[in-house]
Amino acid sequence: MSLSARHRVLFVDDDPSVLAGARRVMHDLRQQWEFLSAASGQEALSLLEQAPCDLIITDMQMPGMDGVELLSQVLSRFPSTVRFALSGYADRAILLKSVGLSHQFLAKPCPAESLKRAISHTLQFKKYLPGTHEQAMVSATETLPVLPDTFRAFQKALRVSRADVEGVATVVASDVCLAAKVLHLASWASLDFRESARNIRQAVGVLGTELLHSVLFSAHAFRAMDADTASLFPVSNWNQHATAVAALSVQIAREGGASAEGVQEAGTAGLLHDIGRRILMGGYPATYAGICAASCADETSITQTESEVLGVTHAELGAALMVLWGVPSHVADAVAFHHEPERCPGEDSIVLRAVCEAERLVAEEGDAGEGCTRAEVCVPAGGVS
Amino acid sequence: MQGASSSGGEKKRAEGQLSISSVGVRLHFDIALVLITIIPLLVFIFLVMGGYVTFKPGRGVYEPVAVLLIALVGLGYALLMRYPITMMKLRRYVEDMAAGVFPESVHLEQEETDLRSIEAGMNRILERLKAKVDAMAMEQAKLEKQLCKAQKLESIGALASGIAHEINTPIQFVGDNTRFLSDACAGLLKLLEIQRRLNAVAPSEYGSVLAEIQKVESEIDLPFLEAEIPTAISQSLDGLSHVAEISRALKDFARVVSDDEMKATDLNRAIQSSVTLTRNEWKYVAELTCDLDPALPLVPCFAGDIKQVLINLIVNAAHAVGEVVGDGSRGKGQIAIRARCEAGAAVVSIRDSGPGIPEAVRNRIFEPFFTTKKGGKGSGQGLAIASSLIVGRHGGQLSFDTELGKGTEFTIRLPIRSGAPVCCDAGGGVR
């Protein structure tokens, strides 16, 4: 990689020894990363003003501007910068404040290998996206709106039957966005991307329902979509489609002789494969309703219309967000290439094959999840336009 | 403005008043008795003697008759008065008890069965009451001890997150440095290994070996290693000693959690470990200075209690300074700790540059559950417990000196010889 293509990684900590230590361990990756450091939030912001950075890692407790303040400034002023928190506090309050602000939350002491792995994994999100505008669009996405009914069911499950991990996991798996966020938070707990939770059940177990409860009621990691947006899209059909593809993917992966992890990843990839549509729906409801309607009217594939109008597809956006949210690379690849498996670089992945096959089978059965949802989409979209 | 905690002293004074008032009552009572019995008798005798002198009756007969008469009347009078007097005594006892003044025991000094059984019954009631009061006092002492312990746990629990941060930060960079040193060491050994080859090869091959050396040197970035290795090592050693210091302070704190007798304690060291454990509380808002007298003798005390008090006072000082300086971005405040020996007492003072204590709450700060801190930052137990530990358990003094807009100084005085009271005129007035 040439020097100009080096990723700029900015490290912020009020303790100079921590900065020096980080600079030393990052030194062997100097060909790939340019290491910058700042001793305070102010200094970090002025560095960012001079030149954008790809990723910022900040301590949370600092005199003057603290980590929460810094991250929220970075989110609003430099949205394409990936945000990591590195905290020495065992305090849950700080973790809850970082939910929705940081892509990764690492606990000090964090081994150099884990930190490097987290950085290189997360920076991969760019490979799915054509430019900085799309990068900003993805990395500024804090939460994805959940279907109101599912949101209520989730609240109820955490309030009433917190001991029932299985029950909570079932509710979580019934909405794609809920599932994605839970996987995201679970990746914070695992700290090691080889070990991140591969399915929802695991993720709920890793987090614990008690933590989920505090995240739900004190941080704003989860939110329900507003009724207007919900009426524009057949979200519950999408969710049903995702669940059906997930179930079939698991079956296909198992029959294809995948390892236990492969089977779990296939299920997760199946569930998340259309998460990009939810990003577009949450960020640009009117435009995206138009795109869906146009795709139905012209009988072109949805990805083609997306590419023409937006320059990026829901598959690519979804994969990029999932990488930022700490979902394993195999799963993200399957999300990115579920329409065009032949474009996937690298070795043949059973996760991707399972998802493609499952989607084909579900489509043959007459589920209209991926393609035309004419009945639901065109009517309200027409009403809007 | 000065103030002092006196929870223990007040209690003792109140007990003193109790016994004095009961003595007063008894005195009063006895005088009344004397007046009631003696005065009418004297009047009677006076009248009889007066009659004798006035009428001068015939000799020989009147005198013994008069004496007999006097004796008989006296006896009759005594018999007559006995009952009302006893009733009055009884009424007094009951009134006293109703007013909360309990005698040691009830003495009616009468032989009649009714009165004796009343006396015995009242004494039984008194004994039972006393037993109940003793049990309650014991229960209260137990509760107070538990509260103290709970507050100790609360104070260390509130510090736990900060202590974790203080430990995790050095571990982070010591880990990073060690990782770096391990890689650097591997690179340097590789270089050394190639350089050794110079001894073995023919001079004609020096060129190729030197080229290889240069290649490896640039691979491992030798100038970077040369610059960074010494500082990586010295910073790691600093970090390790920082962690070791915290670990020692924690051990000190843990060791004395269950002390039941006073031990000669190094107050300077207690101050230093309290400062270490609270560092995360004050370091963002204040510069903390310690002016400790190395000649301070060992002080007999419950070391755990003293550290608990010190931690409470330092955390309070940090919170007070925080109220003034906010997050510390526009300069920090000051906390100054001083330890010295003064008139037979060890004196530790903790001064902060906080906002001072408002006049309205000055006489309430030692009350249990009284707090001005917001949002669960304090349960209002810290100063109440500090005062009961210093005054109640050590016979010391806890006083403060505060000025609005300038700050507050809390001063602990502990007797250096155990049992010797702290000289009282020394309260406050340091500033």
Side-chain angles (χ1 to χ4, degrees):
Chain A
M1 200 180 276
S2 71
L3 277 185
S4 62
R6 283 198 302 171
H7 290 304
R8 284 164 59 88
V9 175
L10 173 58
F11 214 102
V12 191
D13 201 302
D14 60 317
D15 190 330
S17 303
V18 173
L19 291 178
R23 180 161 40 81
R24 291 179 193 124
V25 286
M26 297 289 185
H27 188 68
D28 60 344
L29 292 171
R30 60 192 177 278
Q31 306 295 334
Q32 291 139 57
W33 297 339
E34 183 183 352
F35 182 87
L36 300 139
S37 60
S40 71
Q42 280 304 339
E43 200 184 322
L45 287 176
S46 61
L47 270 172
L48 283 166
E49 274 158 20
Q50 286 160 24
C53 288
D54 297 283
L55 190 142
I56 182 171
I57 305 166
T58 178
D59 186 19
M60 295 311 280
Q61 180 78 42
M62 293 183 289
M65 185 187 291
D66 68 0
V68 172
E69 171 68 19
L70 174 62
L71 287 180
S72 52
Q73 292 239 15
V74 172
L75 171 64
S76 60
R77 293 169 57 190
F78 311 97
S80 66
T81 303
V82 178
R83 302 170 299 274
F84 277 22
L86 177 61
S87 174
Y89 279 91
D91 200 335
R92 181 170 281 187
I94 292 189
L95 186 137
L96 291 177
K97 277 189 213 159
S98 319
V99 170
L101 282 177
S102 64
H103 294 112
Q104 271 303 315
F105 187 92
L106 305 162
K108 277 182 195 165
C110 175
E113 291 74 27
S114 301
L115 182 59
K116 288 179 187 172
R117 204 177 298 124
I119 294 174
S120 59
H121 173 86
T122 312
L123 285 176
Q124 280 175 27
F125 89 105
K126 298 190 174 193
K127 77 179 182 193
Y128 299 111
L129 299 171
T132 46
H133 175 251
E134 290 79 16
Q135 284 166 18
M137 191 170 144
V138 171
S139 69
T141 301
E142 297 169 54
T143 64
L144 291 174
V146 176
L147 208 59
D149 288 345
T150 317
F151 190 71
R152 274 192 293 276
F154 182 50
Q155 281 181 323
K156 193 173 157 221
L158 286 180
R159 253 203 221 106
V160 180
S161 49
R162 240 185 287 174
D164 179 15
V165 173
E166 209 66 57
V168 172
T170 310
V171 177
V172 169
S174 70
D175 186 277
V176 176
C177 295
L178 204 52
K181 197 71 202 182
V182 167
L183 283 168
H184 180 203
L185 293 177
S187 82
W188 290 14
S190 68
L191 281 187
D192 192 329
F193 287 82
R194 288 172 306 189
E195 294 297 319
S196 42
R198 288 189 181 77
N199 66 18
I200 308 298
R201 170 71 183 73
Q202 248 180 0
V204 173
V206 164
L207 287 169
T209 48
E210 202 240 317
L211 177 64
L212 273 178
H213 182 264
S214 16
V215 170
L216 174 63
F217 290 103
S218 61
H220 301 285
F222 303 103
R223 63 188 167 97
M225 64 182 74
D226 58 90
D228 290 350
T229 316
S231 70
L232 289 177
F233 302 93
V235 181
S236 58
N237 279 16
W238 291 355
N239 278 336
Q240 278 163 20
H241 169 75
T243 324
V245 171
L248 260 178
S249 303
V250 167
Q251 208 180 327
I252 293 166
R254 194 173 285 139
E255 282 163 9
S259 63
E261 286 127 39
V263 172
Q264 290 171 351
E265 289 187 349
T268 307
L271 188 64
L272 299 177
H273 74 282
D274 275 344
I275 185 104
R277 306 190 76 168
R278 301 286 287 267
I279 304 174
L280 288 166
M281 179 196 127
Y284 313 90
T287 317
Y288 196 55
I291 289 173
C292 290
S295 141
C296 287
D298 306 349
E299 304 224 342
T300 51
S301 79
I302 184 88
T303 48
Q304 198 181 331
T305 321
E306 285 167 352
S307 287
E308 280 163 14
V309 179
L310 300 167
V312 68
T313 68
H314 71 265
E316 291 161 339
L317 288 173
L321 186 68
M322 289 306 93
V323 167
L324 281 183
W325 284 11
V327 166
S329 312
H330 281 307
V331 175
D333 275 347
V335 171
F337 303 111
H338 71 271
H339 287 285
E340 310 144 295
E342 64 285 352
R343 270 186 58 215
C344 180
E347 73 226 66
D348 181 43
S349 141
I350 186 146
V351 180
L352 175 57
R353 267 192 285 125
V355 173
C356 291
E357 181 68 11
E359 173 134 273
R360 196 178 55 75
L361 288 173
V362 170
E364 275 172 14
E365 275 170 29
D367 176 295
E370 182 63 28
C372 241
T373 44
R374 220 173 296 262
E376 289 101 327
V377 173
C378 298
V379 175
V384 166
S385 58
Chain B
M1 156 77 203
Q2 293 161 13
S5 152
S6 53
S7 60
E10 236 161 49
K11 203 189 281 174
K12 266 192 198 128
R13 217 172 304 132
E15 275 166 15
Q17 271 170 4
L18 202 96
S19 55
I20 287 168
S21 77
S22 77
V23 166
V25 165
R26 186 144 314 144
L27 220 64
H28 211 70
F29 184 65
D30 290 346
I31 290 168
L33 249 181
V34 167
L35 292 180
I36 289 168
T37 18
I38 305 300
I39 290 177
L41 203 62
L42 286 177
V43 169
F44 178 75
I45 291 170
F46 179 77
L47 285 177
V48 170
M49 295 309 280
Y52 174 71
V53 171
T54 314
F55 297 108
K56 283 199 182 146
R59 314 178 165 169
V61 189
Y62 190 78
E63 268 176 60
V65 170
V67 170
L68 198 67
L69 207 65
I70 291 169
L72 275 175
V73 169
L75 192 68
Y77 184 78
L79 282 172
L80 201 73
M81 287 307 287
R82 205 176 60 164
Y83 204 67
I85 289 172
T86 308
M87 282 317 286
M88 205 173 79
K89 265 187 175 176
L90 205 58
R91 211 186 77 206
R92 279 290 168 134
Y93 275 125
V94 172
E95 276 172 2
D96 281 358
M97 287 188 208
V101 181
F102 294 94
E104 275 298 308
S105 58
V106 172
H107 299 287
L108 296 179
E109 283 149 14
Q110 294 299 334
E111 296 306 316
E112 271 143 66
T113 10
D114 278 2
L115 288 172
R116 283 184 71 101
S117 79
I118 287 177
E119 185 185 83
M122 285 181 79
N123 279 329
R124 268 207 305 282
I125 291 174
L126 273 177
E127 268 161 35
R128 286 200 178 182
L129 273 174
K130 225 172 271 167
K132 270 234 164 90
V133 167
D134 286 351
M136 273 163 71
M138 260 169 71
E139 185 68 16
Q140 192 182 355
K142 219 166 86 188
L143 281 175
E144 264 172 22
K145 214 168 174 185
Q146 282 173 353
L147 191 63
C148 254
K149 217 174 209 170
Q151 206 275 337
K152 183 175 290 182
L153 290 176
E154 183 200 303
S155 62
I156 199 87
L159 297 179
S161 178
I163 293 171
H165 185 250
E166 287 295 307
I167 292 176
N168 287 338
T169 303
I171 289 182
Q172 174 72 44
F173 67 75
V174 171
D176 283 353
N177 288 342
T178 312
R179 177 82 247 180
F180 161 74
L181 288 172
S182 136
D183 291 350
C185 191
L188 290 175
L189 288 176
K190 191 174 163 197
L191 198 62
L192 195 66
E193 197 250 343
I194 300 168
Q195 278 173 345
R196 278 222 191 101
R197 265 191 250 155
L198 285 175
N199 297 330
V201 299
S204 60
E205 287 176 50
Y206 281 180
S208 71
V209 176
L210 285 175
E212 199 176 342
I213 286 174
Q214 266 178 0
K215 194 181 131 231
V216 173
E217 275 181 1
S218 85
E219 243 173 52
I220 62 174
D221 199 353
L222 194 60
F224 183 81
L225 297 191
E226 279 171 341
E228 294 291 332
I229 287 174
T231 43
I233 291 173
S234 68
Q235 285 178 350
S236 297
L237 290 175
D238 287 349
L240 286 175
S241 72
H242 183 73
V243 175
E245 190 194 335
I246 295 171
S247 149
R248 261 197 306 276
L250 271 176
K251 209 165 65 189
D252 276 359
F253 198 85
R255 194 190 295 146
V256 290
V257 162
S258 60
D259 48 0
D260 281 332
E261 59 182 63
M262 290 201 188
K263 290 195 184 74
T265 303
D266 181 352
L267 276 189
N268 288 342
R269 187 170 155 174
I271 292 170
Q272 276 156 350
S273 51
S274 307
V275 166
T276 300
L277 290 183
T278 51
R279 175 167 289 125
N280 206 259
E281 307 299 314
W282 51 260
K283 74 171 182 186
Y284 296 110
V285 292
E287 302 290 349
L288 190 147
T289 53
C290 281
D291 174 14
L292 308 179
D293 179 2
L296 193 68
L298 297 184
V299 178
C301 64
F302 301 103
D305 292 355
I306 298 303
K307 278 179 199 154
Q308 183 177 0
V309 172
L310 288 169
I311 285 175
N312 283 341
L313 293 179
I314 296 172
V315 169
N316 278 354
H319 287 166
V321 173
E323 276 179 44
V324 173
V325 303
D327 58 9
S329 54
R330 287 176 308 278
K332 293 179 184 177
Q334 270 97 41
I335 298 175
I337 303 180
R338 215 147 70 87
R340 61 207 178 274
C341 189
E342 233 173 55
V347 181
V348 180
S349 59
I350 295 160
R351 197 178 67 227
D352 64 63
S353 63
I357 304 170
E359 205 142 345
V361 302
R362 278 177 196 168
N363 51 5
R364 298 193 60 196
I365 61 166
F366 292 112
E367 282 177 21
F369 302 107
F370 179 77
T371 182
T372 56
K373 294 180 186 173
K374 290 182 207 83
K377 249 187 160 179
S379 62
Q381 291 296 313
L383 282 177
I385 297 240
S387 122
S388 93
L389 291 178
I390 296 294
V391 180
R393 275 194 101 187
H394 290 84
Q397 271 195 336
L398 177 62
S399 57
F400 66 92
D401 186 358
T402 185
E403 195 174 338
L404 283 181
K406 287 263 177 71
T408 305
E409 178 170 45
F410 276 89
T411 304
I412 303 168
R413 278 160 201 280
L414 292 173
I416 286 178
R417 272 181 302 116
S418 110
V422 175
C423 183
C424 283
D425 62 328
V430 179
R431 189 166 300 170

